[in-house]
Amino acid sequence: MILDHPVVPLLGRLMMAYIFATSGIAKVLGWSGNLAYMSPRHLPMIPVLLAIAMVIELAGSACLVTGYHARIAAFVMFWYTTAVTVLFHNYWASSEMMAAIEETDFRKNLAIMGGLLMLAYSGPGKRALGRRGSS
């Protein structure tokens, strides 16, 4: 079966890494805009939180792409995405106009979180740096 091919997990890791890598790069290139986006949430230490988010997204993406420590990275990224989803896509607290958009983003993030959990559970597959055994 074609889904048993060793490149399939690599493709899945690349697809999951794409959204985090591009978001991390956007944080680097648009630092002040991201600070402004986060400020209405009244979070403490927004620059520190933004820096942590940037590191998780960029380092996590590198781990997903290479497969190196992919299980740990996927687990950290799962919890990070959980926090971001609840804080920034809380459609139940949005205006009617924004609720549909936020609900779509919320559900999209649930799917990403599911993929991250599957990766944390099953490992990166055969095409991964630092791979031991059959993970």
Side-chain angles (χ1 to χ4, degrees), residues 91 94-104:
Y91 64 92
S94 298
S95 67
E96 256 185 76
M97 201 170 184
M98 288 299 295
I101 295 168
E102 293 300 342
E103 185 178 6
T104 298

Side-chain angles (χ1 to χ4, degrees), residues 26-57:
K27 284 174 178 55
V28 172
L29 299 177
W31 183 265
S32 59
N34 280 285
L35 289 174
Y37 172 73
M38 291 175 71
S39 64
R41 302 291 180 186
H42 305 292
L43 298 168
M45 304 179 302
I46 290 174
V48 173
L49 292 175
L50 185 57
I52 291 168
M54 184 179 63
V55 169
I56 289 172
E57 290 176 354

Side-chain angles (χ1 to χ4, degrees), residues 17 25 41 46 54 67 76 88 110 135:
I25 291 167
R41 302 291 180 186
I46 290 174
M54 184 179 63
V76 169
F88 291 96
L110 286 180
S135 59

Side-chain angles (χ1 to χ4, degrees), residues 54-79:
M54 184 179 63
V55 169
I56 289 172
E57 290 176 354
L58 294 175
S61 295
C63 290
L64 293 186
V65 167
T66 63
Y68 186 71
H69 291 296
R71 284 181 154 175
I72 295 167
F75 194 64
V76 169
M77 293 167 86
F78 165 80
W79 286 111

Side-chain angles (χ1 to χ4, degrees), residues 110-131:
L110 286 180
I112 293 167
M113 291 160 54
L116 290 167
L117 274 182
M118 290 295 295
L119 177 56
Y121 172 77
S122 64
K126 293 181 180 178
R127 304 248 192 250
L129 295 179
R131 188 178 73 82

Side-chain angles (χ1 to χ4, degrees), residues 2-3 11-12 15-16 42 45 59-60 63 74-75 83 85 87 92 99 111 127 135:
I2 194 161
L3 292 177
L11 290 173
M15 287 181 208
M16 279 193 285
H42 305 292
M45 304 179 302
C63 290
F75 194 64
T85 301
L87 287 171
W92 53 89
R127 304 248 192 250
S135 59

